[in-house]
Amino acid sequence: MLTVNLSKEPARAPWGINALLSYQADSVTVHYDAAFSLRRIQQAGRQLQAQAIEAVSLQGDGWNYERQWAFYCGFAATMHAVTIKWASIDEDELELLNARRHSHDWARQIINAGPDTVYPQKLAQTAVAFLSDIGGEHIHSQMIVGDELLADGWIGIHSVGRGSQHPPVLLEVDYNPTADPDAPVSACLVGKGITFDSGGYSLKPSAGMVSMKCDMGGAATVTAALGYAIAQGLTQRVKLILCCAENMVSGDAYKLGDVLTYNNGVSVEIVNTDAEGRLVLADGLLLASATKAPLIIDAATLTGAAMMAVGSDYNAIFGFDKALLARAQQLSELVNEPAWPLPLEKWHQDYCPSAFADTANSRVQKGGGMGGASNAAGFLSRFVDTDNSRWIHFDLAACYRDSADPRWAVGATGLGIANIAGLLL
């Protein structure tokens, strides 16, 4: 196990004063400065992982909670677990680090897994098992599978998933630590769980399809966030709703020109089968609104437009409640999971017009046209009871890396988990 020390002093010769790492006979020292210190510490973790170092012990002064977590984000590997011994800190912070790592590792593992092993029912089952391990007897769940969705009118999830050999699933998890079946639901989490996205008949090119196992990143993120909040002592009742499907091409797949009519009476013309995430989330948001929860949070790898707007270091956030957006952004800074609000007004609901339905699910333009992320959020807002619930939408632009970079291994990042957990507490 390699000992890793931390220093604000620059490295000495022969490493050079700008060196990030210097090596001793039995240890390595991370050199950082006040400017972008957490980014540099994360880069150091990534460099050590790239050298095939699999076990480290963080020792010495300076390793506070935030710096240790930044190091771990860089040190975590794509395909296997690593060993890290935290530096001595307050017992509460040590417990928090372990809880955060547990949720983070679960989300990374399930997002990075291939679609042959994580299909809709498996995603739902794994989410329930993960939460039951943390929440125990306070966790209850039910799944609606395949054609059973139609009996309850969950047309979006069914339509997107009916073309696959793996049936679509609507999962509802109830975390109720009060043990009172009549206790009010304080918050609902809704996650997009598209376990593979071919684009449907609006077929993606290979380059755009190869990473689409990550399209269930929203479901993984909200599940991990709930688990992390429970581990921190969440005392209020929270419901989790996962909208799980594979978007595939077959003789039974949904088509361009179809019109779907949702439980709230809103009709939607399909003009792009690759804009499927908003279709499944619409069902989840309707179910969340029916609980009368005062807070609704949804998360999804929803649009490329969000990535174009904020890049891959930030998640984009949307909502009509400016105070809630401000709180989410403030929390994102506290947990070092950057988030940035993008425009959303009521009139964005009208930016995907249709001559054959109340709205279309996109625009017939590449990427949904200008303002595509805001238009998608406007579409979602049609299915939320914003008169009675505060709602925030996370478009997870920072959820996944197609290739490794100086701070992150290739694959899932876990960014957004602690931010959403913080909104529940």
Side-chain angles (χ1 to χ4, degrees), residues 2 6 17 40 205 211 216 248 396 414:
L2 179 67
L6 194 62
I17 61 172
R40 282 182 62 84
S211 62
M216 37 66 69
M248 301 294 286
L396 298 173

Side-chain angles (χ1 to χ4, degrees), residues 390-407:
R390 305 173 76 197
W391 165 65
I392 184 169
H393 161 56
F394 281 74
D395 198 329
L396 298 173
C399 174
Y400 190 87
R401 295 291 198 276
D402 287 329
S403 58
D405 65 28
R407 294 190 301 126

Side-chain angles (χ1 to χ4, degrees), residues 244-267:
C244 309
E246 276 189 337
N247 186 21
M248 301 294 286
V249 178
S250 76
D252 196 34
Y254 81 124
K255 302 171 290 297
L256 287 86
D258 287 353
V259 174
L260 311 183
T261 301
Y262 283 83
N263 275 339
N264 64 344
V266 173
S267 59

Side-chain angles (χ1 to χ4, degrees), residues 91-349:
E91 284 297 322
D92 290 339
E93 290 189 336
L94 184 61
E95 186 176 343
L96 191 63
L97 276 172
N98 286 327
R100 190 171 182 180
R101 178 184 176 179
H102 181 58
S103 291
H104 183 275
D105 285 356
W106 178 84
R108 284 173 60 104
Q109 181 181 24
I110 197 166
I111 293 171
N112 288 340
D116 57 332
T117 58
V118 179
Y119 43 87
Q121 281 184 281
K122 186 62 175 289
L123 172 59
Q125 292 164 354
T126 306
V128 171
F130 167 74
L131 291 172
S132 296
D133 184 55
I134 301 171
E137 62 184 7
H138 301 311
I139 296 292
H140 301 278
S141 65
Q142 63 172 346
M143 282 186 246
I144 305 174
V145 182
D147 289 343
E148 296 174 0
L149 291 160
L150 293 177
D152 293 325
W154 304 124
I155 188 70
I157 299 171
H158 183 271
S159 295
V160 172
R162 74 187 191 210
S164 171
Q165 65 175 334
H166 297 296
V169 176
L170 174 61
L171 171 67
E172 183 178 1
V173 177
D174 185 1
Y175 170 69
N176 188 2
T178 71
D180 177 4
D182 298 320
V185 178
S186 67
C188 269
L189 300 173
V190 182
K192 173 187 171 183
I194 301 297
T195 57
F196 185 72
D197 181 18
S198 71
Y201 279 102
S202 303
L203 196 68
K204 292 179 181 288
S206 292
M209 199 189 302
V210 69
S211 62
M212 281 300 102
K213 62 184 180 181
C214 81
D215 215 17
M216 37 66 69
T221 297
V222 290
T223 303
L226 178 55
Y228 183 40
I230 294 170
Q232 293 181 77
L234 178 65
T235 59
Q236 295 178 306
R237 187 179 187 182
V238 174
K239 287 197 173 185
L240 171 76
I241 299 163
L242 301 188
C243 311
C244 309
E246 276 189 337
N247 186 21
M248 301 294 286
V249 178
S250 76
D252 196 34
Y254 81 124
K255 302 171 290 297
L256 287 86
D258 287 353
V259 174
L260 311 183
T261 301
Y262 283 83
N263 275 339
N264 64 344
V266 173
S267 59
V268 178
E269 181 192 5
I270 306 304
V271 300
N272 183 352
T273 60
D274 196 22
E276 85 298 330
R278 64 201 72 181
L279 298 174
V280 301
L281 283 175
D283 281 336
L285 290 169
L286 285 170
L287 180 56
S289 294
T291 70
K292 305 299 183 182
L295 175 63
I296 296 175
I297 303 168
D298 81 73
T301 50
L302 199 64
T303 67
M307 297 185 70
M308 293 297 292
V310 300
S312 59
D313 288 322
Y314 284 76
N315 288 321
I317 51 177
F318 301 81
F320 300 132
D321 189 320
K322 306 305 180 187
L324 179 57
L325 287 174
R327 180 172 176 239
Q329 188 175 18
Q330 182 183 37
L331 280 170
S332 78
E333 294 173 358
L334 289 173
V335 298
N336 196 32
E337 294 182 351
W340 198 262
L342 291 182
L344 179 63
E345 302 293 344
K346 285 283 188 179
W347 38 259
H348 279 105
Q349 293 181 350

Side-chain angles (χ1 to χ4, degrees), residues 406-420:
R407 294 190 301 126
W408 297 98
V410 64
T413 65
L415 291 175
I417 293 172
N419 193 2
I420 293 172

Side-chain angles (χ1 to χ4, degrees), residues 257-260 267-271 349-364 382:
D258 287 353
V259 174
L260 311 183
S267 59
V268 178
E269 181 192 5
I270 306 304
V271 300
Q349 293 181 350
D350 301 322
Y351 273 33
C352 294
S354 168
F356 303 98
D358 296 324
T359 184
N361 71 323
S362 187
R363 297 177 71 91
V364 190
R382 288 176 173 267

